[in-house]
């Protein structure tokens, strides 16, 4: 019998895949880099109006196809040799992201264990700790990188029910408890209102093309689209899963976590008299340089705040790394009948080797690992998040919007037709909602995705 998530297990697993560094680390620094309110407004609108539609599309392919990512496309097109199966290249994107994602999680683990209990007392000290870690602390980075990757592989090796679902059932509620507690504490700080104004006040003139593209990219990145995670999890969900409800349950809590993280981080940051402006670059270092220094101002309470925040960030990261590893593992199990433990640790070994190269490319010893002005670490980030992910989602939207939703044909014809697709979505989409959803997939989402892809390629190459 095919392993399956329970309904709540599927929602928590999909939510765990999206709530990671994207929501907690990347959202605050992107908001800081893009002026606050205008970026936040655009991100919220796009996530609710476009992100939900894209999630439903990927969930639909997985839930209807009931297989690994390439198999889903082959099954739904009723052609085992269809070219659509090559969209499974997105699984490679997940492996590449995992290789540098675990490096970042290793930094967080290092700060949790070695820095939280000896917080820096000056900006110079804080910058020195991070610089020393990046330039001289290669061995410590490798150890922490290995620890986070091994933990990820260990959880995945237990399978869907005993590993992934159990992890998310425990960590997701715990994550929300920690963050709500930190938000409550932050709300009593004098700088809390300033953080509120920064994130929610906006001027129309602040909505620039650059801010719009940044909001689009953040929406895309934070929902864990384009790496096979959502399709793989959906393939192991219940047959009659309410995909609209599931998508909303993934998007809304993710947005809440983003806003809580933003309010909390900027409250502490502004309390330290930090200044942020569009394109300032200061916000990128919030977690690793600014926040430890800020927490040190609270004395013993600061140690507790640091441990709680970094623990929550580590928990959220682990739920994401698990979701990045599982699609490739499931592919090997489903396609080649490889034992789960062998598949899990085999892929993890490849990830470890790639991650080591990425890690060294960021250190003082990695000068020979810089190509075209980018380190291997940054190239992995660029190729996966700026090329593979948007192309994968673009193919998925075209597949659902045009291939699955063909005009209804004569009775007895083969293939998935619009009438059949409508019947499948009737339980959770009204006629008007179905039409709007298809319109978004056919005409709105492709323009957005191509815009992101073109902007990233032009600006970063």
């Amino acid at each position: 019998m095919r392993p399956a998530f329970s309904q709540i297990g599927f929602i928590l697993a999909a939510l765990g895949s999206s709530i990671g560094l994207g929501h907690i680390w990347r959202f605050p620094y992107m908001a800081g880099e893009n002026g606050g309110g205008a970026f936040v407004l655009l991100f919220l609108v796009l996530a609710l109006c476009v992100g939900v539609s894209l999630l439903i599309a990927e969930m639909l392919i997985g839930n209807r196809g009931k297989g690994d990512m390439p198999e889903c496309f082959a099954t739904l097109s009723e052609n085992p040799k269809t070219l659509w199966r090559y969209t499974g290249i997105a699984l490679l994107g997940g492996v590449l992201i995992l290789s540098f994602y675990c490096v970042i999680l290793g930094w967080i683990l290092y700060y949790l264990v070695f820095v939280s209990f000896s917080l820096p007392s000056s900006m110079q000290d804080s910058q020195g700790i991070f610089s020393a870690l990046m330039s001289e602390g290669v061995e410590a980075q490798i150890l922490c990188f290995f620890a986070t990757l091994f933990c990820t592989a260990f959880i995945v090796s237990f399978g869907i029910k005993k590993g992934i679902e159990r992890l998310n059932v425990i960590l997701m509620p715990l994550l929300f408890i920690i963050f709500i507690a930190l938000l409550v504490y932050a709300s009593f700080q004098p700088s809390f209102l300033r953080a509120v104004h920064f994130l929610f006040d906006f001027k129309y003139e602040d909505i620039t093309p650059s801010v719009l593209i940044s909001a689009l990219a953040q929406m895309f990145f934070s929902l864990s689209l384009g790496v096979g995670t959502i399709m793989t999890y959906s393939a192991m969900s219940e047959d009659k899963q309410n995909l609209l409800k599931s998508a909303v349950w993934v998007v809304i809590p993710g947005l809440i976590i983003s806003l809580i993280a933003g309010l909390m981080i900027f409250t502490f940051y502004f309390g330290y008299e930090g200044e942020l402006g569009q394109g300032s670059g200061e916000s990128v270092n919030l977690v690793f340089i600014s926040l430890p220094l800020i927490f040190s101002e609270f004395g013993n309470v600061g140690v507790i705040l640091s441990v709680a925040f970094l623990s929550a960030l580590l928990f959220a990261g682990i739920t994401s790394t698990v979701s990045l590893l599982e699609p490739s593992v499931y592919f090997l199990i489903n396609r080649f009948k490889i034992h789960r433990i062998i598949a899990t640790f085999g892929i993890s070994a490849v990830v470890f080797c790639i991650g080591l190269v990425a890690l060294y490319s960021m250190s003082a010893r990695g000068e020979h690992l810089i190509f075209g002005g980018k380190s291997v670490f940054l190239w992995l980030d660029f190729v996966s998040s700026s090329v593979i992910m948007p192309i994968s989602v673009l193919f998925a939207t075209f597949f659902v919007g045009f291939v699955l939703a063909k005009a209804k044909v004569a009775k007895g014809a083969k293939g998935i037709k619009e009438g059949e697709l409508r019947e499948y979505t009737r339980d959770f989409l009204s006629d008007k909602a179905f039409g709007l959803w298809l319109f978004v997939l056919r005409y709105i989402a492709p323009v957005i995705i191509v815009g992101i892809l073109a902007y990233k390629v032009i600006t970063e190459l």
Side-chain angles (χ1 to χ4, degrees):
M1 181 180 293
R2 185 184 300 276
F5 284 112
S6 64
Q7 185 172 10
I8 185 64
F10 167 68
I11 293 174
L12 288 175
L15 179 60
S17 72
S18 65
I19 295 183
L21 298 185
H23 278 300
I24 300 173
W25 170 66
R26 197 173 190 272
F27 172 80
Y29 97 66
M30 288 296 291
E33 285 292 283
N34 290 277
F39 170 85
V40 173
L41 176 65
L42 289 172
F43 171 66
L44 294 177
V45 171
L46 289 167
L48 292 171
C49 297
V50 179
V52 171
S53 296
L54 294 177
L55 276 174
I56 291 175
E58 288 208 0
M59 288 177 178
L60 179 67
I61 294 172
N63 191 258
R64 183 83 171 191
K66 292 298 180 185
D68 57 67
M69 189 177 180
E71 184 182 14
C72 285
F73 284 96
T75 298
L76 293 178
S77 61
E78 296 191 344
N79 178 8
K81 296 184 178 181
T82 180
L83 294 178
W84 286 103
R85 73 185 190 278
Y86 290 111
T87 56
I89 191 67
L91 298 177
L92 176 61
V95 171
L96 296 181
I97 293 173
L98 184 61
S99 66
F100 67 83
Y101 203 106
C102 280
V103 172
I104 299 174
L105 276 187
W107 298 343
I108 294 170
L109 177 61
Y110 177 87
Y111 266 70
L112 174 63
V113 175
F114 297 106
V115 179
S116 288
F117 299 96
S118 182
L119 294 169
S121 58
S122 68
M123 181 63 73
Q124 184 177 0
D125 290 342
S126 187
Q127 291 174 336
I129 291 173
F130 188 71
S131 296
L133 175 64
M134 298 303 294
S135 61
E136 303 170 6
V138 174
E139 291 77 12
Q141 287 189 68
I142 293 174
L143 178 61
C144 293
F145 166 50
F146 175 80
T148 56
L149 181 58
F150 180 81
C151 180
T152 299
F154 183 75
I155 294 166
V156 172
S157 69
F158 277 92
I160 302 303
K161 283 286 186 182
K162 293 182 179 180
I164 298 174
E165 182 168 331
R166 185 174 296 176
L167 170 78
N168 286 286
V169 166
I170 295 173
L171 289 192
M172 282 298 99
L174 182 61
L175 179 67
F176 273 88
I177 291 172
I178 292 174
F179 264 74
I180 290 173
L182 287 170
L183 177 64
V184 170
Y185 181 84
S187 67
F188 288 97
Q189 305 305 311
S191 54
F192 180 73
L193 287 180
R194 185 178 174 188
V196 171
H197 288 301
F198 178 76
L199 287 176
F200 297 108
D201 288 351
F202 76 97
K203 300 176 182 178
Y204 289 105
E205 55 267 28
D206 291 339
I207 302 178
T208 64
S210 176
V211 173
L212 175 61
I213 291 295
S214 296
L216 291 172
Q218 176 61 23
M219 178 273 295
F220 185 78
F221 189 91
S222 64
L223 295 182
S224 196
L225 295 165
V227 290
T229 298
I230 299 300
M231 291 185 197
T232 301
Y233 281 179
S234 299
M236 292 178 280
S237 66
E238 299 174 350
D239 291 339
K240 294 185 178 181
Q241 189 84 21
N242 186 321
L243 301 186
L244 174 61
K245 180 179 179 181
S246 298
V248 170
W249 271 106
V250 171
V251 172
I252 299 296
L255 296 180
I256 292 173
I257 280 288
S258 290
L259 296 176
I260 290 176
L263 286 171
M264 179 183 61
I265 288 175
F266 289 122
T267 294
F268 295 141
Y269 187 79
F270 291 143
Y272 194 73
E273 299 300 325
E275 294 293 337
L276 290 170
Q278 190 166 340
S280 67
E282 175 69 20
S283 47
V284 177
N285 297 323
L286 280 172
V287 171
F288 298 111
I289 295 180
S290 300
L291 280 184
L293 182 60
I294 294 166
F295 287 144
S296 70
E297 294 294 304
F298 295 92
N300 292 332
V301 175
V303 174
I304 298 173
L305 291 174
S306 180
V307 170
F309 175 78
L310 292 174
S311 296
L313 193 56
L314 189 64
F315 291 163
I318 290 295
T319 61
S320 293
T321 56
V322 164
S323 72
L324 288 168
L325 180 58
E326 174 61 24
S328 297
V329 170
Y330 183 63
F331 173 78
L332 293 182
I333 294 172
N334 190 50
R335 190 60 57 92
F336 302 104
K337 310 305 178 186
I338 298 175
H339 193 278
R340 171 170 283 273
I341 293 178
I342 296 175
T344 299
F345 285 95
I347 295 175
S348 297
V350 174
V351 170
F352 183 72
C353 292
I354 298 174
L356 276 182
V357 177
L359 190 154
Y360 270 98
S361 74
M362 295 287 286
S363 70
R365 309 174 192 178
E367 294 181 357
H368 60 290
L369 295 173
I370 297 177
F371 309 96
K374 291 180 182 291
S375 65
V376 171
F377 185 101
L378 294 179
W379 274 116
L380 289 173
D381 184 13
F382 174 77
V383 171
S384 56
S385 62
S386 298
V387 179
I388 294 178
M389 289 175 68
I391 290 177
S392 174
V393 177
L394 183 64
F395 285 163
T397 57
F398 271 117
F399 185 77
V400 175
F402 292 98
V403 177
L404 293 188
K406 294 176 180 176
K408 193 173 183 180
V409 298
K411 186 177 180 180
K414 293 182 178 180
I416 306 296
K417 310 305 175 185
E418 185 171 349
E420 293 171 301
L421 183 61
R422 180 68 193 104
E423 284 301 315
Y424 183 72
T425 59
R426 192 174 298 280
D427 289 341
F428 59 88
L429 289 177
S430 66
D431 289 339
K432 289 184 177 180
F434 178 78
L436 178 61
W437 174 60
L438 274 184
F439 179 79
V440 170
L441 291 184
R442 285 175 168 172
Y443 307 111
I444 304 299
V447 172
I448 289 174
I449 295 168
V450 171
I452 294 173
L453 181 62
Y455 177 83
K456 287 290 185 180
V457 171
I458 292 173
T459 57
E460 295 192 31
L461 288 182

